[in-house]
């Protein structure tokens, strides 16, 4: 009888680990709002960088896109639950739009597309791997999400194959570095302060120390 109860508990453990706690919701919301402000601050220099790079070679402007992808990666690395990447990325986009930027409601479309692709990468690893490599892959996937959205909705399908190839590669590389690497380092820095002690990311960092 005890063996049966233990087996049921063991089977239910993964479900409990993936269930959102109140603290998960609160921290995800705080991350989304804070990084939404960061996105808003990035809008002007990011747009300028985009334009300058695009002037060098059409499509190269994608090198700036990673700056708008970090929220989804950070959300997933901290919360480590299904839906975290999409929730934090989308909330950050809503906050960025609400403060005021030049893209309006399309900012939310981007947040949805980017967050969904970042989420997909962590889902493919069954929400069990949160290392630098996975973070970089997720950031690159977010760049692909933005590229696909602009291809399908914002007229990039009318542009040349060369433009879209360069834009895809530059967006993916930017996502891998500015969202993946920087996001992973940011989470490590936060964990080192102790603010993430109630999360696996914080406990593992403390264990290494």
């Amino acid at each position: 009888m005890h063996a049966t109860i233990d087996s049921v508990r063991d089977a239910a453990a993964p479900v409990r680990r993936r269930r959102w706690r109140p603290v998960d919701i609160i921290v995800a919301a705080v991350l989304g709002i804070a990084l939404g402000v960061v996105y808003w601050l990035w809008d002007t220099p990011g747009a300028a960088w985009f334009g300058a790079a695009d002037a060098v070679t059409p499509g190269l402007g994608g090198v700036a896109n990673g700056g708008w992808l970090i929220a989804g990666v950070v959300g997933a690395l901290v919360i480590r639950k299904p839906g975290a990447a999409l929730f934090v990325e989308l909330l950050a986009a809503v906050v960025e739009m609400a403060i005021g930027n030049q893209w309006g409601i399309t900012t939310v479309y981007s947040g949805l597309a980017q967050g969904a692709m970042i989420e997909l990468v962590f889902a493919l690893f069954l929400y069990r791997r949160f290392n630098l490599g996975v973070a970089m892959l997720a950031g690159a996937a977010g760049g692909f999400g933005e590229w696909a959205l602009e291809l399908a909705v914002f007229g990039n399908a009318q542009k040349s194959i060369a433009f879209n190839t360069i834009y895809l590669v530059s967006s993916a590389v930017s996502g891998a570095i500015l969202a993946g690497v920087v996001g992973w380092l940011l989470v490590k820095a936060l964990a080192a302060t102790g603010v993430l002690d109630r999360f696996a990311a914080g406990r593992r960092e403390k264990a290494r120390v």
Side-chain angles (χ1 to χ4, degrees):
M1 181 64 178
H2 289 297
T4 301
I5 293 173
D6 290 341
S7 298
V8 171
R9 287 175 177 170
D10 290 342
V15 176
R16 289 196 301 270
R17 284 196 297 269
R18 293 185 181 183
R19 186 179 299 154
W20 283 58
R21 305 167 297 170
V23 68
D24 296 326
I25 298 171
I26 294 169
V27 171
V30 169
L31 287 173
I33 293 169
L35 291 171
V37 175
V38 171
Y39 281 2
W40 177 74
L41 292 171
W42 176 247
D43 284 345
T44 298
W49 187 15
F50 187 105
D54 224 36
V56 174
T57 300
L60 192 60
V63 296
N65 284 346
W68 290 289
L69 300 170
I70 193 170
V73 175
V74 169
L77 292 177
V78 171
I79 307 300
R80 302 191 175 188
K81 304 283 177 66
L86 178 57
F87 176 82
V88 177
E89 181 69 27
L90 185 56
L91 178 57
V94 170
V95 170
E96 177 193 359
M97 179 197 68
I99 296 173
N101 65 10
Q102 61 266 51
W103 301 291
I105 189 63
T106 61
T107 305
V108 178
Y109 303 157
S110 291
L112 182 60
Q114 295 161 1
M117 291 306 302
I118 294 170
E119 185 75 40
L120 177 61
V121 170
F122 288 100
L124 289 174
F125 287 96
L126 304 178
Y127 301 99
R128 292 178 180 174
R129 296 187 63 183
F130 300 93
N131 56 32
L132 176 59
V134 174
M136 292 179 68
L137 184 60
F144 171 80
E146 179 60 27
W147 174 85
L149 177 70
E150 294 188 33
L151 185 73
V153 178
F154 298 142
N156 281 4
Q158 307 303 317
K159 298 182 180 180
S160 68
I161 293 176
F163 171 90
N164 280 295
T165 301
I166 294 170
Y167 191 48
L168 171 60
V169 172
S170 61
S171 294
V173 171
S174 179
I177 296 173
L178 295 182
V181 175
V182 175
W184 188 76
L185 291 173
L186 176 60
V187 172
K188 282 181 66 69
L190 288 173
T193 68
V195 299
L196 299 180
D197 284 353
R198 296 190 65 182
F199 297 87
R203 293 193 294 271
R204 290 185 181 181
E205 186 63 25
K206 181 171 286 187
R208 290 192 184 97
V209 176

